[in-house]
Amino acid sequence: RLPFPESSLRHDTYNGVTLDLTALPIKADRFVDMLGRALDIRTAEEMRGIWIRILTSQAHLIAPAARIGFDFQHAEPWYCVLAKWIPKETESRLPNGPTHQVGIGVLVIHPLTGKMLAVEECTGPAAKRKLWKMPTGLTDPGEDIALAAFGGCRRRPVWNVFRPFCMLRSVARGSVLVGSTCSSCASAASRRSTTPLLS
């Protein structure tokens, strides 16, 4: 039996278990002993992986877990997840954490002059080089691409969008993977082409 309350454990269909520490006030020295015994039990049961969910306020438990082989899998603003692959005879098959960012850029054309909207950023790589460029930005998780594109434009001067072109960029660990046009952005723009971006 694992030395943690059953309510803190979530078993998955891949022969692994997640240990949720968010409701367990545990001191670091006691945690090392409990986690070591849990690893021995899981190894004997030929389990494959253990995941640990740790709150930011429990950061003192990260170093003890790392000393016995746990490593970061992913992190959110208020917690992180550590993971350990148990079988020693095979390489880890645990999934990697999130690695991608989706960026957008919008070509904004003045309907009368045909001039393109260019902006100068206050921060970031473009600001360091004092570059003028089209409005760009990163999307939030789950955010609609077209709404993200027009949301960025609304913070700019009063310009209508005409013949919009939206470029998507997928970045994994600093390398650009994919660039493509966004038809949904063009469709959304056509419905709003007569509406000022700022009122």
Side-chain angles (χ1 to χ4, degrees), residues 146 150 161 163-166 181-192:
F150 283 92
V161 177
R163 293 182 182 177
F165 179 88
C166 178
T181 59
C182 177
S183 58
S184 62
C185 181
S187 175
S190 66
R191 297 192 299 270
R192 307 182 186 200

Side-chain angles (χ1 to χ4, degrees), residues 20-26 31 52-64 78-80:
D20 190 343
L21 299 178
T22 56
L24 298 178
I26 304 176
F31 176 63
I52 307 176
R53 184 182 174 103
I54 301 177
L55 290 174
T56 304
S57 59
Q58 298 172 312
H60 60 284
L61 302 178
I62 295 176
W78 56 278
Y79 74 90
C80 72

Side-chain angles (χ1 to χ4, degrees), residues 88-100:
K88 296 181 179 180
E89 65 279 3
T90 60
E91 294 185 4
S92 174
R93 299 187 59 187
L94 297 177
N96 294 322
T99 59
H100 290 64

Side-chain angles (χ1 to χ4, degrees), residues 8-197:
S8 67
L9 304 175
R10 189 179 77 249
H11 298 269
D12 58 46
T13 57
Y14 299 97
N15 203 18
V17 64
T18 297
L19 170 60
D20 190 343
L21 299 178
T22 56
L24 298 178
I26 304 176
K27 294 184 178 180
D29 53 352
R30 182 164 176 258
F31 176 63
V32 171
D33 178 65
M34 295 172 67
L35 190 58
R37 283 188 285 142
L39 274 176
D40 290 341
I41 294 171
R42 286 305 183 189
T43 301
E45 294 175 346
E46 298 185 348
M47 300 292 283
R48 304 181 74 185
I50 297 182
W51 311 75
I52 307 176
R53 184 182 174 103
I54 301 177
L55 290 174
T56 304
S57 59
Q58 298 172 312
H60 60 284
L61 302 178
I62 295 176
R67 284 197 293 269
I68 55 178
F70 283 83
D71 204 347
F72 288 104
Q73 201 274 341
H74 71 274
E76 297 293 338
W78 56 278
Y79 74 90
C80 72
V81 173
L82 307 181
K84 178 178 174 60
W85 178 255
I86 297 177
K88 296 181 179 180
E89 65 279 3
T90 60
E91 294 185 4
S92 174
R93 299 187 59 187
L94 297 177
N96 294 322
T99 59
H100 290 64
Q101 290 180 324
V102 177
I104 57 171
V106 183
L107 184 63
V108 184
I109 304 298
H110 193 285
L112 301 179
T113 65
K115 292 183 178 180
M116 183 188 86
L117 173 64
V119 299
E120 186 176 27
E121 301 288 358
C122 297
T123 60
K128 183 177 181 180
R129 299 182 181 182
K130 300 185 182 301
L131 298 178
W132 287 84
K133 63 182 186 63
M134 68 172 64
T136 61
L138 298 176
T139 61
D140 293 324
E143 185 176 14
D144 181 87
I145 296 296
L147 294 180
F150 283 92
C153 289
R154 287 195 186 95
R155 295 191 295 269
R156 310 302 179 181
V158 183
W159 285 48
N160 289 341
V161 177
F162 179 70
R163 293 182 182 177
F165 179 88
C166 178
M167 174 64 75
L168 302 182
R169 181 186 66 168
S170 177
V171 178
R173 304 187 187 278
S175 301
V176 177
L177 298 182
V178 179
S180 64
T181 59
C182 177
S183 58
S184 62
C185 181
S187 175
S190 66
R191 297 192 299 270
R192 307 182 186 200
S193 60
T194 60
T195 303
L197 295 178

